[in-house]
Amino acid sequence: MRRPGRDDSPDRLYTLTGGRSRSAPDAPFDLVTLIVAESGPQPGMQSEHAAILRMCELPTAVVEIAADLGLPVSITRILLSDLLDAGRISARHPRSGPTHSLPDSELLEQVLVGLRNL
């Protein structure tokens, strides 16, 4: 089994990122950040950027994008930073579950007593 990016030529990865080794420090990307395309691919666009825009018509996690592209997550983050800076994608963290408060402990105590009486 081949790990993404492991067997890639360093020259290819260098070329994909324009020599950059890190995404912008304020880039909001972690593995589960959802990416949504805000526009379609344009003629003359780097093929990896175009592929990202096509696969992100629906919200897609960064880790899924990296896997589909067969690239390391670090390289994928750099490509996503390019698209975010150009306004071609939006990024957001997935919503967590509903934030309901826990039931009152007195209510739980009453339920427990009721269950024991059954």
Side-chain angles (χ1 to χ4, degrees):
M1 180 174 175
R2 181 173 106 75
R3 287 183 58 192
R6 175 69 88 186
D7 300 327
D8 287 335
S9 154
D11 293 341
R12 175 176 179 261
L13 298 177
Y14 182 88
T15 303
L16 286 177
T17 64
R20 293 169 292 156
S21 62
R22 294 179 192 237
S23 59
D26 59 339
F29 308 116
D30 60 17
L31 296 178
V32 296
T33 301
L34 295 175
I35 307 299
V36 179
E38 297 294 334
S39 67
Q42 300 295 317
M45 180 180 270
Q46 184 175 337
S47 62
E48 288 78 12
H49 287 149
I52 290 170
L53 292 176
R54 280 192 295 275
M55 73 178 73
C56 293
E57 290 176 358
L58 297 174
T60 307
V62 170
V63 70
E64 292 178 69
I65 296 168
D68 286 349
L69 291 175
L71 293 172
V73 172
S74 59
I75 301 298
T76 304
R77 285 180 180 151
I78 295 169
L79 297 173
L80 291 171
S81 290
D82 294 343
L83 291 170
L84 185 64
D85 290 345
R88 297 192 176 278
I89 62 169
S90 59
R92 67 175 175 84
H93 287 278
R95 291 185 182 133
S96 57
T99 56
H100 298 290
S101 61
L102 294 175
D104 182 38
S105 61
E106 187 175 315
L107 175 64
L108 291 175
E109 182 84 27
Q110 291 174 359
V111 170
L112 182 59
V113 169
L115 288 173
R116 285 184 182 151
N117 290 335
L118 289 176

